[in-house]
Amino acid sequence: MKMPMIQCHNLSHLYAGKAALSNVTFELGAGEPIGLVGPNGAGKTTLLSLLCGFLPVTAGALTLFGHKPGASALSGRVSALPQDARLDPAFTIGEQLSFYARLQGLSAKQATNEAIRVLEAVALKDLFKAKPDTLSHGMAKRVAIAQALIGSPELIFLDEPTAGLDPVNTRNIRSIITELSPATTFIISSHDLAELGRLCQQILLLDNGVMSTMQLNASGESSPTRFITVQMESCTAVDVIAKIKPLKGVVRVSTPQKNEFIVEYNPTIEANMDLKILTCIIDNNWQYRQFSQGKTLEEKLFFEEDSES
Amino acid sequence: MSPGFLQHSLLICQFELKRLFSSRKGWLYLITFALVWSFILLYPIRFAADMLGQEKNITSGISFLEFFGFGSLLNWQIPEMGVYWHFALIIFPLLSVMTSADQTCSDRERGTLRFLCLRVSRDSLFFGRFAGMMLVQTLLIFMSLFSTVALAVYRDVNLLSLALNSAMAIAVNLIIVLLPFTAMMAALSATLKSARQATVWAILVWSFLAGIISALSSYLPALDALKILIPGYQMSALSQLAQWQALQLAYIPLLQSVVLLSIGRWVMHRQNL
C-alpha cells in the first residue's frame, strides 16, 4: 500500500500554556491542492510550522514521506512559503536562490539556471541581481514563492500565498499552482475562501486547535438535497424568496448576505432547478451577478446551520 | 541525490566566506581589520621588536622585560613574532566575540533561517556557520601573520624560514584559542535575538562565571577546577609559552569547544524558528 504523504497522529502543541493544537490526527495523500482554513489564532501557522520543522514536535507523531519534519532526507522534496520570512539583505536575490538550489543538490550552473527559472515563473526575472530590501511587499512575497518552487518539490506548503498581492499576481500564483498540480501537492493556508474554493478539492478546517476535513466535491452526493447560490443585483429579498420558494422541489431559500440567495432543492423532484430559477429571474426582470451550483466555501465551512430563512 | 551533513556544512561555510568578501559590511570589517593591524605592526610590534633586540644583548643582571613580567618574549627567536603573539592573544578573542556574535540570531529574527532549514538540518546549519566563522578568522590570522613575517624579513631576509615556522606555530595555536570563543558565540547566537545581545551576554557570562567560580572555590577549593570551562582560562599561562610549546595547553580550549558546541547544538534543536 502506498504510504500517505503526511501522517499526523495526536499532534498537540502549546503556546505559553495555551493549546494551539489539540490531538490533531489526519493523513494526506499526494494530489490536488488542499486548503487549510480556520479563524485567526486557530493554529494554522503552528501546524504549518510543525510540518516544515520550524517548531519542534513536543507531543504526538508527525511524518512527511515517512521522515520527521526538518530531516535532511526531505531537502528538495518538501518546500514552503513561510509567513513573514524575508531573505538576507546582504546578498542579491539571485545569489540566495542559487545558494538554496545548491543546498538542494544542484551544481553551481544548474542552481543559477534554476534561480532564473523560478523567478521567471513569478514574473520577476529582472530582479535576479536586486537586493531584497529594494522589493515591495508584493514582490517580496513573489520572490518567497519562487524560492518554494526551487527544484520542483513534491510537496509545498503555502502560508497566505496571495495576501497582499494585486489581482494580476494573485491570478499568476493561482495559475502556477494549477499548472504544477497534481505533480506537486500544495497545502494552502488562506483566509481567501473564494481562492481556495477555486483551487482545492479538499479542505482542512482548524478551529481552536481541533481539525476536521471536508471533501468539496463529495458533499452533494451524500445529501438528498442540493444547493444553488445566486448573487443578485440590487433587489428586494422578500420578493425573491416569495417567487422562488413556491417553485416545485425547493426545500428552503436563505439569504446569508444582502443580495445573495441559497436555494436548497430536491433533485429527485426537480432535476432542472437551475433552469427554473433562471426563468423566474428573467420573468421578473431581475438582474443577477453570479449563478453557481452548490454553496460557497464560506457558507459550507462557517455558516452551514446559521443562514436558514 | 540530496547532499548530506558534510556537504551542506561545507556549502554554508563557503557562503559565510562569501559574506566577508561580497557584502559591504564584510569589506568594511576587512578594511577596519587591516587598518588596526597595520597600526599595531608599524608601531607597537616594530618598536617592541627593536627593544627586544637590544634586551637580548644584555648578558648579565635583570632584564627590563623580565622586571615587567614580559620575560617570555625573550623566548621567541624572532622578536616581531613574540610581540605579535602577545597582541594576538588579546585582540583575536575580542574580535572573535564581536564578529561571530551573529551566527544565527538575525537570520532567525528575519525568518531567513526558515528558508535554510527547509533544505538543511539544524546540525548542518549550526556547524556550517561555526565552521564558516572559524574559516573567516583563520583567514584574518594568516593575513596578519603574513604581514608580520614580511616585517621581520624586511629587517633581516635570513629570518624567512624561522619566521614561517613561528608563524605556523602561532596560527595553529591561535585557531585553537579562538575555537571556544566562537563556540560560545554560536551557542549564544542560537538563543538570543541580536548580535548586540549576544555580545553583552558573552561579557556577562565571562565575567560572572569567573566571579561565581572564584567565590564558590573560596568555600570549596575543589570547585576551582571549574575555571577550566571559562573560555580564555589558559591565556595567561599561554602567553608565557613560545611557538609550538603553546600546544601543551591546547586540550583546554578543545575541551571547552566540545562542551560549548554541545550546548549550542542542544539549544539550536529546541529553538523555534
Side-chain angles (χ1 to χ4, degrees):
Chain A
M1 206 183 99
K2 202 177 169 188
M3 179 187 275
M5 191 176 58
I6 300 174
Q7 284 181 304
C8 178
H9 185 70
N10 279 341
L11 187 69
S12 297
H13 197 83
L14 295 177
Y15 258 135
K18 185 181 173 288
L21 291 176
S22 179
N23 292 320
V24 171
T25 298
F26 66 94
E27 283 190 356
L28 292 175
E32 294 298 325
I34 298 159
L36 176 62
V37 297
N40 290 330
K44 301 188 297 294
T45 298
T46 303
L47 179 62
L48 287 185
S49 297
L50 286 162
L51 285 162
C52 294
F54 302 150
L55 296 178
V57 174
T58 48
L62 180 61
T63 58
L64 285 82
F65 300 106
H67 301 280
K68 286 185 176 177
S72 297
L74 297 174
S75 176
R77 296 185 76 185
V78 177
S79 193
L81 164 70
Q83 202 179 47
D84 300 329
R86 287 171 292 134
L87 292 172
D88 189 337
F91 296 97
T92 66
I93 290 159
E95 280 172 328
Q96 290 184 76
L97 297 190
S98 304
F99 175 55
Y100 296 157
R102 291 220 65 195
L103 292 175
Q104 287 180 215
L106 274 67
S107 69
K109 192 170 175 3
Q110 285 172 333
T112 308
N113 292 338
E114 183 65 1
I116 294 168
R117 182 189 74 81
V118 294
L119 282 174
E120 223 163 20
V122 294
L124 290 176
K125 192 186 162 190
D126 295 344
L127 294 181
F128 188 85
K129 288 185 177 168
K131 290 275 180 80
D133 48 11
T134 62
L135 303 181
S136 68
H137 172 77
M139 282 173 163
K141 174 70 72 92
R142 282 152 66 199
V143 169
I145 292 171
Q147 72 73 38
L149 302 176
I150 292 172
S152 307
E154 294 164 61
L155 172 63
I156 300 180
F157 299 106
L158 299 174
D159 200 352
E160 298 284 357
T162 53
L165 292 189
D166 58 57
V168 175
N169 284 305
T170 301
R171 197 187 176 109
N172 185 20
I173 300 304
R174 195 192 310 143
S175 62
I176 290 170
I177 294 170
T178 315
E179 270 171 38
L180 297 178
S181 293
T184 297
T185 305
F186 288 90
I187 295 182
I188 308 161
S189 164
S190 179
H191 289 296
D192 189 343
L193 298 179
E195 200 62 51
L196 290 181
R198 283 193 190 107
L199 288 167
C200 305
Q201 298 298 314
Q202 190 180 353
I203 296 290
L204 304 175
L205 173 64
L206 257 178
D207 198 1
N208 279 326
V210 180
M211 181 177 276
S212 55
T213 58
M214 178 187 277
Q215 291 290 337
L216 294 187
N217 52 357
S219 61
E221 289 163 18
S222 58
S223 166
T225 58
R226 289 187 188 168
F227 298 88
I228 287 172
T229 303
V230 189
Q231 212 174 38
M232 305 290 288
E233 289 290 346
S234 186
C235 64
T236 317
V238 181
D239 285 353
V240 175
I241 293 169
K243 297 279 183 183
I244 293 178
K245 207 167 181 182
L247 293 175
K248 195 179 162 194
V250 171
V251 177
R252 191 160 40 207
V253 181
S254 57
T255 52
Q257 291 184 79
K258 193 182 176 193
N259 296 334
E260 188 177 295
F261 300 89
I262 297 173
V263 182
E264 185 180 1
Y265 69 100
N266 190 332
T268 52
I269 297 171
E270 181 54 70
N272 296 321
M273 184 55 78
D274 45 358
L275 287 177
K276 293 275 178 193
I277 295 172
L278 281 169
T279 309
C280 178
I281 290 170
I282 292 161
D283 289 347
N284 288 284
N285 286 326
W286 295 328
Q287 300 290 319
Y288 70 90
R289 279 186 192 169
Q290 209 173 334
F291 189 96
S292 57
Q293 290 280 358
K295 285 182 181 179
T296 61
L297 186 55
E298 184 181 297
E299 284 298 323
K300 281 181 185 171
L301 292 172
F302 299 113
F303 304 103
E304 193 82 83
E305 303 302 325
D306 300 348
S307 58
E308 290 168 11
S309 62
Chain B
M1 205 183 93
S2 174
F5 167 77
L6 276 177
Q7 230 171 328
H8 274 153
S9 303
L10 194 68
L11 283 168
I12 291 167
C13 181
Q14 283 173 357
F15 203 67
E16 288 309 296
L17 198 63
K18 191 177 178 180
R19 189 187 298 276
L20 183 70
F21 290 109
S22 68
S23 68
R24 198 182 299 163
K25 198 175 157 190
W27 274 108
L28 199 69
Y29 176 72
L30 275 176
I31 291 166
T32 313
F33 179 83
L35 281 172
V36 169
W37 268 103
S38 56
F39 174 79
I40 293 170
L41 278 172
L42 289 175
Y43 299 100
I45 291 186
R46 195 156 60 99
F47 289 135
D50 287 345
M51 200 170 75
L52 272 167
Q54 289 164 15
E55 283 277 319
K56 278 193 172 176
N57 295 329
I58 298 170
T59 49
S60 60
I62 299 168
S63 146
F64 172 77
L65 283 165
E66 277 171 346
F67 183 77
F68 283 101
F70 287 102
S72 62
L73 283 171
L74 297 168
N75 298 333
W76 289 81
Q77 289 162 304
I78 301 172
E80 285 87 348
M81 303 311 281
V83 180
Y84 173 94
W85 173 238
H86 279 73
F87 267 101
L89 280 179
I90 298 163
I91 290 173
F92 274 106
L94 288 174
L95 278 178
S96 180
V97 167
M98 285 188 282
T99 56
S100 57
D102 192 10
Q103 288 181 53
T104 50
C105 46
S106 65
D107 273 357
R108 192 177 58 254
E109 285 303 298
R110 199 190 305 116
T112 314
L113 280 196
R114 293 179 175 193
F115 294 136
L116 289 164
C117 282
L118 285 166
R119 293 160 176 99
V120 301
S121 68
R122 293 188 183 203
D123 275 347
S124 303
L125 188 63
F126 179 75
F127 289 107
R129 286 275 168 100
F130 170 77
M133 285 319 303
M134 283 309 303
L135 188 66
V136 166
Q137 291 175 102
T138 302
L139 199 76
L140 297 178
I141 288 170
F142 274 105
M143 278 164 63
S144 59
L145 268 173
F146 179 76
S147 48
T148 313
V149 169
L151 193 73
V153 171
Y154 178 74
R155 182 167 59 82
D156 184 352
V157 76
N158 297 320
L159 293 174
L160 181 64
S161 61
L162 264 179
L164 285 176
N165 181 45
S166 291
M168 276 311 293
I170 291 174
V172 171
N173 275 297
L174 270 182
I175 291 164
I176 294 171
V177 163
L178 295 185
L179 280 171
F181 290 97
T182 314
M184 176 173 71
M185 297 320 289
L188 287 170
S189 181
T191 184
L192 295 169
K193 288 187 173 183
S194 69
R196 190 175 295 173
Q197 270 189 19
T199 311
V200 170
W201 270 96
I203 295 163
L204 288 176
V205 168
W206 217 356
S207 39
F208 276 99
L209 204 61
I212 289 166
I213 293 172
S214 297
L216 289 176
S217 60
S218 62
Y219 295 103
L220 193 60
L223 289 177
D224 201 50
L226 286 176
K227 279 187 180 167
I228 202 170
L229 292 175
I230 303 167
Y233 161 75
Q234 80 289 13
M235 290 300 217
S236 55
L238 201 60
S239 65
Q240 301 304 310
L241 299 171
Q243 305 190 108
W244 295 104
Q245 290 171 347
L247 279 179
Q248 288 168 19
L249 297 174
Y251 73 95
I252 297 172
L254 289 174
L255 176 74
Q256 291 168 345
S257 305
V258 170
V259 172
L260 289 164
L261 285 175
S262 305
I263 294 169
R265 181 181 177 270
W266 183 83
V267 171
M268 189 75 180
H269 272 267
R270 274 148 192 82
Q271 194 62 253
N272 295 345
L273 299 180

